[in-house]
Amino acid sequence: MDLAQQWDTPQLSLLGTRALLFEAPGPLGLENQQRIWALADYANGLPELAESVPGMNNLMLVFTTLPAEPEQLFRQLLVQWARDERKTLQGKTVELSVFYGGELGPHLLDVAEHSGLSVSDVVACHSAPLYPVYALGSHPGYCYLGNMDPRIATPRRQTPLMSIPGGAVSIGGLQTGVSASAGPSGWNTIGHTDFIFFDAGARPPVTLLPGDNVVFKAVGVRA
């Protein structure tokens, strides 16, 4: 998604026959995401709600029966949003060992060229922050992370790759993330980690949750 939202007020749209999507205004940040988490708690008390799913600057609400007047519900959500309530999640911090570049990080040089930085500076910028997990999505175990250094922001690739391996560490626009399993991607893959994000036989099956934090540790670099 584009982190620089093009509107100044929240938006509401229908998703299929039983769901609504509340989209928050403004750029992605921890404070906005904390407001989304708080709004999800509030929405859990709505009648006929089956599930609330926080996303990146948005909240999906799934109902057993869609409200007869979605506009009234939207006004209710707007009032709650305006209260500026925030929820803080205190999770664990996990360090991921990453090998940057080489065959499993084929776009590291592209990110360096786009940013005007050296390869070592790109790695230093990428491995310096503490990355909060804002939401899960895209595929099982995948974490949407915040707090990437904007100096290494790189547009998504014009031609997506048909498949990248699980553990691929990539940059897309102002975001970075790690593929939890193999699949297509239009992001710039700069490295690889052996960390396991999803195990169908585990309880819970996902290793990281919103409120957790990720630190990338460079264990090798190959341009």
Side-chain angles (χ1 to χ4, degrees):
M1 67 172 289
D2 184 358
L3 298 187
Q5 301 280 23
Q6 300 301 309
W7 51 81
D8 298 322
T9 58
Q11 305 288 305
L12 189 73
S13 54
L14 291 171
L15 292 178
T17 60
R18 294 195 301 114
L20 299 171
L21 182 68
F22 179 96
E23 296 181 86
L28 179 70
L30 182 58
E31 292 182 355
N32 234 26
Q33 197 65 23
Q34 289 173 339
R35 293 178 71 180
I36 288 289
W37 294 336
L39 188 64
D41 282 353
Y42 170 81
N44 286 333
L46 296 172
E48 304 296 332
L49 186 79
E51 185 179 16
S52 64
V53 184
M56 296 277 281
N57 255 18
N58 61 62
L59 176 65
M60 183 176 69
L61 303 176
V62 182
F63 294 86
T64 55
T65 302
L66 195 67
E69 298 183 5
E71 296 82 3
Q72 181 177 344
L73 171 61
F74 185 38
R75 288 193 294 270
Q76 188 177 348
L77 293 173
L78 282 177
V79 170
Q80 183 63 24
W81 180 258
R83 290 177 176 148
D84 195 20
E85 293 184 2
R86 303 176 189 184
K87 179 178 182 179
T88 301
L89 298 177
Q90 299 292 342
K92 58 186 178 295
T93 297
V94 175
E95 183 180 87
L96 307 186
S97 298
V98 178
F99 190 97
Y100 289 89
E103 293 182 0
L104 294 178
H107 306 139
L108 179 59
L109 287 175
D110 294 341
V111 172
E113 181 178 352
H114 177 80
S115 64
L117 300 173
S118 67
V119 166
S120 60
D121 284 342
V122 169
V123 172
C125 287
H126 187 263
S127 57
L130 180 71
Y131 293 94
V133 177
Y134 284 166
L136 303 182
S138 177
H139 58 274
Y142 183 81
C143 301
Y144 288 103
L145 305 176
N147 207 31
M148 191 184 78
D149 191 322
R151 290 178 295 171
I152 55 175
T154 305
R156 301 182 188 192
R157 306 190 69 79
Q158 292 185 352
T159 303
L161 299 179
M162 294 301 295
S163 182
I164 60 174
V169 180
S170 304
I171 291 174
L174 288 168
Q175 293 177 256
T176 188
V178 186
S179 297
S181 58
S185 174
W187 289 27
N188 302 278
T189 300
I190 62 172
H192 184 270
T193 179
D194 291 328
F195 187 82
I196 303 298
F197 292 86
F198 179 78
D199 180 355
R203 292 293 178 270
V206 293
T207 309
L208 297 177
L209 296 170
D212 289 341
N213 296 285
V214 169
V215 176
F216 294 112
K217 177 183 178 182
V219 294
V221 180
R222 182 179 302 160

